[in-house]
Amino acid sequence: MPTQFAQIPPALRFQQLSANFYTECPTTTMPRAYVVAWNAAFAAELGLASEREQSNLADYLVGNQTPQDNTPLATVYSGHQFGVNAGQLGDGRALLLAELRDPQQQTWEIQLKGAGPTPFSRRGDGRAVLRSTIREYLCSEAMHGLGIPTTRALAIGGAKQTVWRESAESAAVLTRLAPTFIRFGHFEHFFYHDQPAQLQELADWVIQHHYAECQAASNPYLALLSTVIDRTAQMIAQWQAVGFCHGVMNTDNMSILGLTLDYGPFGFLDGFNPAHICNHSDDSGRYAYNQQPQIGLWNLHCLAQALLPLVERDDLLAALARYQQQFEDAFAEQLRQKLGFVQWYEADWTLVTDLFELLQATQTDWTIFWRTLSHWALLQNDAALTDLVLDRTSLQAWLERYQQRVENESQTAAERNRAMLASNPKYILRNHLAEVAIRKAEDEGDYSEIERLRACLADPFSEQSENETYAQLPPSWAGTLSVSCSS
Ligand code: AMP
Ligand code: MG
């Protein structure tokens, strides 16, 4: 029997942690709740009743009612924001509502984001705007469709409530899930507050529930860090491969599980510009696309520092020293798949570097280029590529080298084509696609585009004839869109 939303059990596993880690925090009611989005496919995977019509669903999604009348928790964390120790932050607008064990025996923490103020709200209102909620809902599911580790999105609840940002906007609440929402910043919190016993308690809890394989290591905390380093390198390599820019890679937005977390002013590359800054508020470009791999390491240094009470300094440094190679290996693996190679050779980096220079010089659309190259692998139809990459001479010279390279491989062109189509997505969540869904929702109260787009992005490697327009170059008005931290 699928579980009704109302019957999801409280966060008992999280509450094994002592009271230092959270405070009980009731939600704040919102008037006239309604369902904006309901991810029925994900609900079914979770063993939840998938119908949108279950009783009082909207009230549960905005926090007017809680499953089993349980009181949610707000957790405390700290973090480095834009390179500076920001001190205590915490769940200022996210509440841990419940925990769900799915039919595959995976346990999920369920959070409501935007369900009202908490003791950690500082000057914030504890709310989230419909606009940013739709963006997080869509991007979480798009990233999952792309095979990139991420928190998931189940639903959006709306209400007749206005919140103030640069202007008046509609409030909304996102229901999101992850095996845990613990961040690097949770560890930093107990380190900077000089609470080594709590730090150890947190590390033990994370290992017990999420990194059981580290338990047997001679120092489980070092094993934990090494695994987090590896997962973070993997995740960022996957970001780079699809052209995803996170926008706010502060340590409080870094998941201890190596999941993409806290979607704010994110963006996907259109034309290939390695220095692309997706976050309008990021003046210095600290979190530009080409900075992400090294920022990942910077953030891991913060985590390692927080583990100083538990691990010898030299061991932490030795683990961090492996990041660069782990990232390069993971990125090479992504490129191998994108290029349709059976094996990766060191010399392939030259081919890639020359391609990146060509794409950058001509600002070629990242996603469309790779998808078109995947078709070229079978059909060798130069016209489609030369329309895209405007420097025809350089392109043809590069394609000749590429063709020579693949001729040494055992795969047939058809096999290569199939593998490349499964690695180079046709559909990504470009800003303008989210914007159309947001406009319809805000201006017309029409939420159908959210679900249509979500379903398309859930299957980004398949040809979907009805969704061709989603795969096209951004329209000219997209150039005027700007996303900031305001959410
Ligand atoms: P973010 O930039 O969204 O990752 O948030 C950074 C910190 O600010 C976290 O502690 C959030 O909980 C908090 N925060 C962001 N927006 C709000 C808000 N509207 N109300 C309360 N806290 C917020
Ligand atoms: Mg955050």
Side-chain angles (χ1 to χ4, degrees):
M1 264 300 276
T3 310
Q4 298 284 309
F5 198 92
Q7 293 309 322
I8 304 173
L12 292 178
R13 197 176 64 174
F14 200 90
Q15 287 179 71
Q16 291 168 1
L17 285 165
S18 61
N20 298 286
F21 294 87
Y22 51 81
T23 54
E24 291 199 348
C25 185
T27 53
T28 313
T29 55
M30 293 175 100
R32 285 189 283 157
Y34 49 86
V35 180
V36 171
W38 174 250
N39 186 349
F42 185 36
E45 279 173 45
L46 291 167
L48 277 178
S50 59
E51 65 276 11
R52 205 181 161 113
E53 286 71 34
Q54 55 191 291
S55 69
N56 300 337
L57 183 61
D59 282 311
Y60 284 99
L61 297 184
V62 300
N64 288 345
Q65 286 180 265
T66 59
Q68 303 195 14
D69 289 328
N70 182 46
T71 308
L73 311 176
T75 77
V76 65
Y77 57 83
S78 295
H80 281 78
Q81 298 186 320
F82 290 89
V84 178
N85 186 346
Q88 179 178 306
L89 301 163
D91 291 323
R93 56 170 169 174
L95 290 169
L96 177 55
L97 187 66
E99 279 168 4
L100 177 75
R101 185 177 278 255
D102 73 17
Q104 295 76 42
Q105 302 308 310
Q106 166 71 56
T107 300
W108 298 85
E109 293 177 4
I110 304 181
Q111 275 194 348
L112 294 184
K113 181 171 175 180
T118 78
F120 309 114
S121 295
R122 297 172 295 152
R123 288 175 304 281
D125 57 7
R127 294 294 177 197
V129 298
L130 179 60
R131 161 178 58 83
S132 64
T133 304
I134 293 173
R135 281 171 53 86
E136 177 157 356
Y137 179 84
L138 289 173
C139 201
S140 317
E141 295 308 286
M143 294 293 265
H144 178 68
L146 290 164
I148 301 176
T150 177
T151 62
R152 301 290 306 275
L154 177 64
I156 301 174
K160 289 277 169 267
Q161 184 155 332
T162 302
V163 286
W164 189 260
R165 296 294 181 262
E166 280 80 18
S167 59
E169 295 196 47
S170 303
V173 182
L174 177 75
T175 307
R176 62 179 186 176
L177 284 82
T180 184
F181 285 95
I182 295 285
R183 303 144 191 268
F184 291 8
H186 282 94
F187 287 83
E188 289 178 276
H189 183 77
F190 295 99
F191 174 72
Y192 285 104
H193 286 77
D194 202 15
Q195 291 178 280
Q198 282 71 29
L199 180 76
Q200 184 163 11
E201 184 186 346
L202 177 64
D204 286 338
W205 185 89
V206 167
I207 290 170
Q208 181 192 344
H209 294 292
H210 302 286
Y211 288 99
E213 70 275 18
C214 296
Q215 267 161 344
S218 57
N219 184 335
Y221 311 116
L222 175 60
L224 170 67
L225 178 72
S226 300
T227 316
V228 177
I229 290 172
D230 195 25
R231 285 204 198 176
T232 305
Q234 287 287 340
M235 172 186 75
I236 297 177
Q238 288 183 269
W239 289 0
Q240 301 305 104
V242 295
F244 174 78
C245 309
H246 182 284
V248 205
M249 288 177 70
N250 294 333
T251 59
D252 52 302
N253 291 338
M254 296 294 292
S255 151
I256 200 69
L257 299 183
L259 307 173
T260 314
L261 170 66
D262 278 9
Y263 293 87
F266 66 82
F268 285 83
L269 293 181
D270 295 316
F272 183 57
N273 169 19
H276 177 66
I277 305 166
C278 64
N279 177 357
H280 195 67
S281 324
D282 181 8
D283 299 323
S284 68
R286 178 179 173 85
Y287 299 139
Y289 168 77
N290 59 4
Q291 300 302 303
Q292 296 188 127
Q294 71 188 59
I295 288 291
L297 178 58
W298 195 94
N299 290 342
L300 286 160
H301 267 98
C302 292
L303 176 64
Q305 177 165 16
L307 294 175
L308 273 170
L310 302 174
V311 188
E312 290 294 332
R313 189 170 181 276
D314 288 348
D315 291 340
L316 293 171
L317 289 173
L320 290 166
R322 288 192 287 275
Y323 172 87
Q324 189 59 33
Q325 192 60 51
Q326 282 169 326
F327 172 77
E328 273 172 31
D329 291 349
F331 192 45
E333 172 56 18
Q334 293 295 314
L335 292 168
R336 180 192 71 73
Q337 294 176 26
K338 289 181 89 63
L339 288 158
F341 297 164
V342 175
Q343 229 191 308
W344 181 264
Y345 299 98
E346 240 358 77
D348 292 330
W349 283 114
T350 320
L351 195 67
V352 163
T353 313
D354 293 346
L355 174 63
F356 284 2
E357 270 171 27
L358 173 62
L359 297 181
Q360 183 180 356
T362 53
Q363 294 275 304
T364 304
D365 187 88
W366 180 255
T367 307
I368 297 180
F369 170 80
W370 286 105
R371 192 73 182 177
T372 313
L373 184 69
S374 311
H375 291 298
W376 187 90
L378 181 65
L379 306 169
Q380 315 246 312
N381 53 337
D382 286 5
L385 272 181
T386 43
D387 282 354
L388 261 182
V389 185
L390 300 171
D391 181 349
R392 187 176 294 230
T393 316
S394 304
L395 172 71
Q396 246 135 17
W398 186 86
L399 283 174
E400 268 171 40
R401 286 164 62 200
Y402 174 65
Q403 188 55 31
Q404 277 169 14
R405 167 67 179 81
V406 294
E407 273 164 10
N408 294 331
E409 300 227 310
S410 53
Q411 265 187 335
T412 64
E415 287 167 336
R416 184 157 45 253
N417 166 251
R418 256 199 311 281
M420 289 171 77
L421 289 174
S423 307
N424 293 303
K426 175 152 178 161
Y427 301 101
I428 52 159
L429 180 62
R430 297 183 197 256
N431 272 341
H432 75 277
L433 298 178
E435 189 64 19
V436 170
I438 292 166
R439 288 266 75 81
K440 281 195 177 168
E442 284 182 343
D443 300 346
E444 301 163 36
D446 175 356
Y447 307 121
S448 58
E449 180 67 8
I450 303 172
E451 213 36 45
R452 190 171 160 219
L453 195 48
R454 185 205 60 73
C456 168
L457 295 167
D459 190 16
F461 299 103
S462 299
E463 296 291 327
Q464 305 174 27
S465 55
E466 70 285 15
N467 288 325
E468 279 299 317
T469 53
Y470 289 153
Q472 287 168 1
L473 283 169
S476 55
W477 61 263
T480 63
L481 290 173
S482 108
V483 283
S484 69
C485 281
S486 160
S487 61

